[in-house]
Amino acid sequence: MTDQPDRAQPETVQRRRPAADAAGPAAAAAPAQGAAPDSGDLTGELLTSDQWTDEMVRAAGIPVTDIPFVTIGGGIGSFVTVDYLRIAGVSTDRVAVLSNLDFAWQTYEYLTRVSQIPRPERIRSDSASRPDNIWGFPSYALAEAVGERTFAPLWQVLIEPIWADYYTPKAGRVFAGLERESKRIGWSEMLVKGQVRMVRKRQGGGYFVILTPMVGSTATKRLAYRAEFVHLAVGYPGLRFLPELQEFRTAHQDFHHVVSAYEEHEHVYEAARTKHLVVMLRGGGIVASRVLQRLMDDRAKYGLSTEIVHLFRTYISSSHGPNAWNRRKGANGFAYQGFNYPKSVWGGQLKARMRKLEGEDRGRAYKLMGGTNTPYRRRWQAQMKEGRDAGWYRTMTGTVEQMRLEHGKIISVVKTQNGMVEVAADFVVDCTGLEADIAEHRVLADLLEHSGAGRNPLGRLDVERSFELRGSASGPGVMYASGATTLGGYFPGVDTFLGLQVAAQEIADDLARRGFCHRIGTFRSITQWLRWARDRQP
Amino acid sequence: MLPTLGGRIQTRLILLAVVGGVVTLIIGPLLPISAPLSAVYQDTFVILAAVAVLGIGWECLYHFLMQWRWEKDWPTLFGLATAIPEGLLVWVLLAAGAIPGITGTVPAAAFVIDFALVWLAVWLVANGPMRVPFIRWRFHGGRLV
């Protein structure tokens, strides 16, 4: 895998390519010898030292830029953190965003689009979870009601979730809001394009962040940023296929008939419009629901005859949970939940409880409230019922033992309770969204090896309640991490819009205690909200 | 809302005191009560205090009921609809003369207007604008301190 950034696609996407998967971690360890001194590249001494001196970096000929706060990733995690800091009085010249993304929602928009949430569709997020507005007021529902002159969104929020599905905003509205806020806080002034290679502690305090800039944009291959505070928000380290799907793809070099829902797979829907197809879905989460909806929508819209076989590993047939006050709804294979976690992890009772749990207790709590789930939406229920009644939507429970290609069809040998069953399909869509280990990410692997960072009970980065990366302090310098890489910490909903804002608030408050920015108190909050409302710079 | 028990009680007391207090001040002269304004204010503020005090008990009940919800949330409509049992209880106690400090008789129409407007204002503020001055409030289960 090259570490020269690709302008076309975000890093998370590159990592799912087969070639990249194959190279993966092995490639990360490649340059054992290091470059020559004064070459502007990483020398052997830099590669092998846990702590760098200013002299070591100078001797390597890598140009150094001093900046107090660096955020790595440049996606929505970086965005909401920087948004908080800008509102807390930090000027743009004190922040650098190191990223290979052109804009903060680039990866998010790519992933939502390919997983069947184009701009007019609604994402799975609460009305008051606004990454472009740290107050969550006005909520998306209120903004939609005013913007489109309709009471419908407000009525839905009023009667949700009992008499209506949870209100969720349209992806397009979310992106438009992010674009506005991005301009307001001067995101482009802080953005430095390139691929972050590593973060190392600096002797004397703080950190060096090594960036590989865009090819040809600088005189040297690397640039160094010397920062007191570093924030990591690199998103998902990568996605994995189910092992049998990966084996099939590799053995047959077939990336056409077995696809991930998180990669471009429009050809499946296009093929369904030209002939009768059987599509096998794997997984029972939100993405499976989305792909299912697209297949069912197209079926109805174009009068198609597509058949869907939905394979669940764990089939949920009814409400489930250990006791009456911990029971989640479920039916027809799915576990139903409005959002990724029970709602109160973002601010209520569960958030308060999780904050106190350590080690195995926390791991158990995650297991209880986690697991694959999807929202109960009335429209999907009606479509699935129609499919079940007519026989074109069938569910199965089991695991796939073997896959083979036969006369252009993919035959999955499924181990069920009633023995082995063979299912023939034209396409298999993997919606399981298995995530790679954090060590698959080059920057995180380097951190685990050289900077004292450790793992939490779920194997991700171990952070404090303030989202400080445990064990990585460097003199007065602090490294923070938020987002998917920190799942398993004291706060469960990290990989969500609101979760990123919870983390950003904790980080901003911690930085205020360390004198880096103002603490956002009542007066600043009101005045800054007024500036937000008038689209004025913070 | 996503309240903790402590957050529920704090939010209720603060909002009734500030938002409820302002609304009570504004609507006092407009209520259909044939009594001097000082007596009207005394009665309406006593009712406001009764809603606050009784509310501590109500919040414990709501917290208990919330435990049966998987999400451990308190839907928006619940926050509005609980006005009915709470209003009825205050009215029954008022009619029974069980609320100390009431100077005269509060007509039903005046009570309904007073109670409904205060409740609506508090509910509206809690469901949005509250997040502007108190940016940590929603992440702390409704706690302010």
Side-chain angles (χ1 to χ4, degrees):
Chain A
M1 180 176 173
T2 174
D3 71 359
Q4 296 294 322
D6 180 339
R7 282 177 188 277
Q9 286 189 321
E11 185 192 19
T12 47
V13 175
Q14 291 179 39
R15 286 183 168 275
R16 288 199 315 280
R17 290 177 183 164
D21 284 345
Q33 296 300 317
D38 215 24
S39 63
D41 199 355
L42 296 162
T43 60
E45 183 185 33
L46 290 174
L47 286 168
T48 51
S49 304
D50 290 347
Q51 204 172 55
W52 295 355
T53 63
D54 294 346
E55 176 53 28
M56 284 161 70
V57 181
R58 196 199 59 75
I62 301 175
V64 176
T65 304
D66 281 302
I67 195 113
F69 183 92
V70 166
T71 179
I72 300 168
I76 295 182
S78 289
F79 185 83
V80 296
T81 307
V82 171
D83 197 26
Y84 249 95
L85 294 179
R86 294 282 290 117
I87 289 166
V90 179
S91 53
T92 53
D93 59 354
R94 298 176 69 210
V95 174
V97 180
L98 308 186
S99 175
N100 59 358
L101 304 177
D102 293 315
F103 47 94
W105 58 99
Q106 190 175 353
T107 301
Y108 184 85
E109 183 166 7
Y110 172 81
L111 290 172
T112 48
R113 184 173 54 79
V114 296
S115 62
Q116 302 309 307
I117 313 177
R119 283 186 168 230
E121 285 287 330
R122 292 181 186 275
I123 62 168
R124 186 191 191 185
S125 189
D126 182 62
S127 172
S129 303
R130 289 191 64 157
D132 63 327
N133 173 326
I134 66 169
W135 304 270
F137 179 79
S139 64
Y140 281 125
L142 182 54
E144 187 177 328
V146 172
E148 297 181 17
R149 294 167 183 263
T150 167
F151 274 109
L154 294 176
W155 177 250
Q156 189 174 350
V157 168
L158 178 68
I159 63 171
E160 72 177 20
I162 301 182
W163 292 282
D165 298 339
Y166 276 114
Y167 169 87
T168 54
K170 286 179 186 166
R173 179 172 293 280
V174 174
F175 302 142
L178 283 166
E179 193 171 348
R180 173 190 184 265
E181 184 67 352
S182 181
K183 286 179 186 151
R184 192 181 81 89
I185 64 170
W187 180 256
S188 58
E189 294 166 36
M190 298 174 277
L191 180 63
V192 183
K193 289 290 299 289
Q195 183 84 50
V196 171
R197 171 68 176 80
M198 58 177 58
V199 186
R200 293 283 171 93
K201 289 180 181 175
R202 172 181 172 268
Q203 203 173 81
Y207 307 87
F208 283 107
V209 182
I210 295 295
L211 181 83
T212 309
M214 306 301 293
V215 183
S217 65
T218 51
T220 55
K221 189 180 175 190
R222 317 283 184 182
L223 296 176
Y225 285 81
R226 187 163 44 198
E228 188 170 357
F229 302 107
V230 172
H231 172 241
L232 285 163
V234 296
Y236 296 93
L239 286 160
R240 278 188 314 183
F241 279 90
L242 287 163
E244 65 272 16
L245 296 184
Q246 185 58 53
E247 275 169 31
F248 181 90
R249 279 167 66 110
T250 310
H252 294 84
Q253 284 297 298
D254 183 342
F255 310 108
H256 184 77
H257 293 99
V258 176
V259 296
S260 164
Y262 291 92
E263 64 184 5
E264 287 284 5
H265 61 279
E266 193 63 25
H267 63 276
V268 176
Y269 309 109
E270 283 167 7
R273 286 166 70 174
T274 59
K275 60 178 181 179
H276 172 80
L277 283 188
V278 178
V279 179
M280 180 186 240
L281 291 188
R282 305 283 304 271
I286 177 71
V287 173
S289 294
R290 282 290 181 189
V291 172
L292 191 52
Q293 181 198 339
R294 172 72 192 272
L295 290 167
M296 296 188 297
D297 280 353
D298 281 4
R299 204 178 188 284
K301 193 171 169 186
Y302 303 111
L304 310 180
S305 61
T306 313
E307 287 180 53
I308 303 157
V309 181
H310 195 162
L311 179 62
F312 292 91
R313 189 183 57 183
T314 309
Y315 189 90
I316 310 288
S317 56
S318 62
S319 294
H320 51 287
N323 50 51
W325 48 94
N326 276 306
R327 211 175 288 290
R328 177 164 54 190
K329 286 182 179 160
N332 299 315
F334 298 95
Y336 292 122
Q337 189 168 280
F339 306 98
N340 310 36
Y341 287 96
K343 233 183 152 185
S344 68
V345 304
W346 286 279
Q349 195 174 313
L350 279 170
K351 179 169 184 279
R353 194 164 76 84
M354 292 297 285
R355 208 173 159 84
K356 294 177 192 153
L357 297 181
E358 297 286 353
E360 283 182 19
D361 291 338
R362 207 191 314 153
R364 269 196 298 276
Y366 267 97
K367 205 171 172 187
L368 175 67
M369 67 174 125
T372 307
N373 62 74
T374 195
Y376 181 96
R377 291 192 183 160
R378 285 157 173 82
R379 179 177 163 206
W380 295 349
Q381 292 297 323
Q383 287 177 309
M384 285 189 291
K385 184 178 182 314
E386 188 192 330
R388 279 192 297 270
D389 292 347
W392 51 259
Y393 172 60
R394 298 187 296 279
T395 57
M396 291 179 77
T397 313
T399 50
V400 174
E401 294 288 295
Q402 191 207 335
M403 291 173 73
R404 63 176 192 273
L405 201 55
E406 216 172 86
H407 309 301
K409 301 265 182 191
I410 298 150
I411 311 293
S412 301
V413 182
V414 184
K415 186 181 176 187
T416 69
Q417 275 192 324
N418 304 319
M420 295 294 186
V421 177
E422 292 200 349
V423 182
D426 297 281
F427 290 98
V428 176
V429 185
D430 180 6
C431 308
T432 51
L434 286 180
E435 289 168 30
D437 184 77
I438 54 170
E440 298 274 321
H441 194 289
R442 197 176 203 182
V443 174
L444 303 184
D446 193 83
L447 267 180
L448 291 167
E449 193 178 341
H450 293 284
S451 296
R455 292 174 184 261
N456 66 28
L458 295 194
R460 309 281 180 98
L461 287 180
D462 192 20
V463 293
E464 302 276 1
R465 291 172 182 85
S466 62
F467 289 86
E468 177 182 344
L469 192 55
R470 251 185 203 151
S472 67
S474 176
V478 181
M479 190 154 18
Y480 301 94
S482 58
T485 50
T486 65
L487 184 70
Y490 297 100
F491 168 65
V494 282
D495 52 342
T496 63
F497 285 168
L498 202 54
L500 290 167
Q501 285 189 327
V502 170
Q505 188 175 89
E506 296 279 1
I507 292 167
D509 283 354
D510 195 59
L511 285 167
R513 282 191 288 274
R514 294 170 193 273
F516 178 68
C517 58
H518 296 288
R519 186 174 190 275
I520 305 176
T522 297
F523 179 75
R524 174 173 284 271
S525 188
I526 294 170
T527 53
Q528 285 295 325
W529 183 83
L530 290 170
R531 297 191 75 80
W532 178 90
R534 288 176 295 154
D535 200 14
R536 299 274 171 84
Q537 285 193 346
Chain B
M1 284 181 68
L2 306 169
T4 57
L5 179 58
R8 281 176 173 280
I9 294 170
Q10 284 187 25
T11 300
R12 171 181 289 251
L13 296 181
I14 289 284
L15 284 182
L16 280 177
V18 178
V19 179
V22 169
V23 173
T24 305
L25 269 177
I26 294 169
I27 63 172
L30 309 171
L31 289 173
I33 303 178
S34 50
L37 191 58
S38 60
V40 171
Y41 274 138
Q42 182 171 340
D43 288 353
T44 50
F45 273 98
V46 165
I47 290 171
L48 188 66
V51 175
V53 173
L54 292 169
I56 295 171
W58 282 110
E59 294 296 358
C60 292
L61 175 67
Y62 302 151
H63 181 72
F64 175 70
L65 294 175
M66 191 177 76
Q67 300 313 305
W68 268 266
R69 292 186 55 73
W70 166 256
E71 308 269 357
K72 304 287 182 279
D73 64 337
W74 199 242
T76 314
L77 190 61
F78 288 13
L80 187 64
T82 44
I84 297 167
E86 291 205 32
L88 281 172
L89 178 66
V90 175
W91 176 249
V92 167
L93 293 175
L94 206 58
I99 297 179
I102 296 289
T103 56
T105 307
V106 180
F111 174 78
V112 169
I113 294 167
D114 178 35
F115 187 90
L117 287 180
V118 167
W119 193 275
L120 197 64
V122 165
W123 175 79
L124 282 174
V125 171
N127 278 289
M130 183 74 173
R131 302 197 288 264
V132 173
F134 304 108
I135 198 163
R136 293 165 192 83
W137 172 78
R138 65 170 166 161
F139 298 146
H140 292 176
R143 281 188 297 112
L144 286 156
V145 289

